[in-house]
Amino acid sequence: DTGVSQDPRHKITKRGQNVTFRCDPISEHNRLYWYRQTLGQGPEFLTYFQNEAQLEKSRLLSDRFSAERPKGSFSTLEIQRTEQGDSAMYLCASSPTENTGELFFGEGSRLTVL
Amino acid sequence: AQRVTQPEKLLSVFKGAPVELKCNYSYSGSPELFWYVQYSRQRLQLLLRHISRESIKGFTADLNKGETSFHLKKPFAQEEDSAMYYCAPGRNSGNTPLVFGKGTRLSVIA
């Protein structure tokens, strides 16, 4: 296990298209988080899962954003009808249930909406 | 509301000089405080947490509840310390995700 992996690393799309990002957490980690990071800003929390349960989703930026973790392993983040303002780095992180506050981040998926 | 302020976007110091990266927070209850670091072309990773009272890579951070601050300090900066540093309060009970500041870029000049 080499850590949290995200795919794709880069995505360029046209406005109005749908995009999906995948995150594979560290295998023994029950918690999975999605953050968004724009230029000059710190990571902004979007949503997180405990196993397959989505415990917090009110911070998702709009109803165009949705996330799933159907089997409690990998997760997907989907953005429908993308807008130029969605251009950002989307970060995934995982942690053990005990949640010591240490999040293990992936390298991120960079989205560019033209 | 949870809020983190890192007042300096960029901090440049000479090698061997002391470093202090400032962090002030506004958080309901008693948060745990963390510093995360991102070196060039690497992932965001935990540097240290206040509850551990540890020194990592020569860095320490003291939680001042009265001033609601958690400044990161190192007595003698090294070139390899150049990176983005993010302050993050959270709650160790686990149901409140970390909130990150905007970050401070530390540049250590040889």
Side-chain angles (χ1 to χ4, degrees), chain A residues 29-43:
Chain A
H29 286 181
N30 295 326
R31 291 202 171 180
L32 186 149
Y33 304 80
W34 284 100
Y35 283 81
R36 184 180 83 153
Q37 188 171 24
T38 54
L39 199 61
Q41 303 293 318

Side-chain angles (χ1 to χ4, degrees), chain B:
Chain B
Q2 302 152 359
R3 196 164 56 246
V4 184
T5 302
Q6 293 182 250
E8 303 128 335
K9 291 186 70 172
L10 172 65
L11 183 64
S12 296
V13 301
F14 286 103
K15 178 181 174 181
V19 173
E20 183 179 49
L21 300 169
K22 291 184 169 56
C23 172
N24 289 88
Y25 64 92
S26 172
Y27 202 93
S28 59
S30 298
E32 303 291 339
L33 274 296
F34 305 88
W35 276 98
Y36 276 73
V37 62
Q38 188 166 25
Y39 301 102
S40 179
R41 298 191 186 89
Q42 293 188 29
R43 305 169 188 221
L44 190 59
Q45 59 187 288
L46 178 68
L47 177 63
L48 58 80
R49 68 199 83 187
H50 93 272
I51 197 169
S52 300
R53 297 186 171 276
E54 56 199 349
S55 173
I56 303 292
K57 300 183 178 182
F59 285 97
T60 59
D62 290 324
L63 177 60
N64 186 321
K65 292 184 179 180
E67 295 181 359
T68 59
S69 68
F70 188 53
H71 303 328
L72 184 67
K73 301 177 183 180
K74 184 171 183 177
F76 307 104
Q78 302 299 314
E79 289 180 74
E80 55 266 29
D81 296 329
S82 296
M84 281 295 296
Y85 291 81
Y86 296 95
C87 179
R91 187 157 288 128
N92 210 32
S93 62
N95 290 327
T96 306
L98 293 182
V99 175
F100 288 86
K102 293 185 178 182
T104 298
R105 179 171 296 282
L106 175 64
S107 177
V108 180
I109 305 163

